[in-house]
Amino acid sequence: MNQSMIAFYRMRGTNEPFDYHAHEEYEIYFFHAGTCRYLIHNQIYDLEPGDILIMDGMTLHKPNVHPNSEYIRSAVHFSPKWVKSVLEELGAMYLLEAFQRLHHCLIRTKENEESKALEKLIQQLSELSQVTNRQELHLETELKVLLLQVLISVYNLGQKDSKKLIDKKSEKAEHVENILKYIQAHYMEKLTVGSIAEALNLSKSYVSHLFREMTGFTVMEYVMASRLTQVKYLLEMEPKKSIKEIAFESGFESASHFSRYFREHVGMTAGEFRRKRLKIYSEENG
C-alpha cells in the first residue's frame, strides 16, 4: 500500500486502525451509520450519517463510540506533499485551503447526492490502494487522479454546507469543551483532575466522570496525549534543543517517565523519532 495515501471504506466496529492521535497527514473522515461522538482539539461533534470531517491531522482527535453500538465509517489519509506538484500544475492548491486554514471542519451533507458520489470515489480509492500487481508509477498516477476527484468533491460539498462548530451545544458538551481548552492552555504545567476542577469551579468527581462519558478516556490521558503531541512537534521543529529540555518544556516532570511513555506510545525512542523526521524533512527539501 502506498504510505503517502491510506484509504479504507465502510469499516465496521470499534477496532480503529488509528487510536487517539495526531499525525502529519491530512484526513477526510466520512461517517455512514451508527452512533459516534468525535473529539477534535477542543470541539465535540455528535455525528449524523453523511457527516464529513476534514482535518489537518496535527490536533488530537478520536471517535468515542459505545462498544455495543453500530459504527460504520470511511477515511482517507494523505500527505499534502504527495499531491502538491499535481495541484500546483493544475492551479488547484485551493483544494487544500480548508485543511490549512480551518485545521478541522464539519460538513453536514444530510446524505445528499454529492455525498453519495464521494462515497463511491472513496470506495474506488480504497480498492485501488490495495492493488499490488500494477506498475508502481502507473498505480501512483491512478491514485493521485482519484484523490484529486475526492478533493474536488469535498471542496464542492464544503462550499454548500460546512461549519466549524455545531450550532447548539448541550451543557455537558460545553463543560467538556471548557475542560479541553483549559488543558490545552496549561498542559505544560503540573495538572491534576482536582486542579482543573478547581480552576473551572466544578467538582472533581463531576469533571472526572463527565470527561470520561463524553470523550471515552480520562482527563489525565488527554493531558499526557497533549504533552506528547507537543514533544513530537518540538523534536522536529527545534532540532538543536535537547530531548530532556523539550520533555520538561512540554510538561513531563521526569526524564525516565518521559522516555518510557514516548517509547510505549510512539514505538521508538524520542531520539529515533527525531532522526527519522529530520531525515524525511531533508529528503523532501533536498
Side-chain angles (χ1 to χ4, degrees), residues 180-236:
L180 292 167
K181 289 173 186 175
Y182 185 84
I183 291 171
Q184 285 151 15
H186 300 278
Y187 64 81
M188 67 295 294
E189 303 166 14
K190 186 172 183 178
L191 287 181
T192 64
V193 177
S195 68
I196 294 168
E198 183 178 356
L200 297 175
N201 199 28
L202 298 169
S203 77
K204 180 179 174 181
S205 61
Y206 181 72
V207 166
S208 181
H209 289 106
L210 179 65
F211 198 86
R212 185 65 182 256
E213 175 192 337
M214 295 293 285
T215 68
F217 45 87
T218 69
V219 171
M220 293 314 296
E221 282 173 343
Y222 184 82
V223 170
M224 296 303 290
S226 298
R227 290 170 176 167
L228 179 62
T229 297
Q230 179 67 4
V231 165
K232 290 165 73 177
Y233 173 79
L234 291 176
L235 285 172
E236 185 170 355

Side-chain angles (χ1 to χ4, degrees), residues 15 19 27 52 57 60 73 75-76 86 104 106 117 149 156 165 174 194 252 261 276 280:
N15 291 326
D19 196 3
E27 180 174 354
I52 295 166
L60 291 167
R73 73 282 186 202
V76 178
V86 175
H104 64 270
L106 170 71
Q149 291 178 273
N156 290 338
L165 302 173
E174 287 181 354
F252 288 91
Y261 185 86
K276 179 182 176 184
I280 291 171

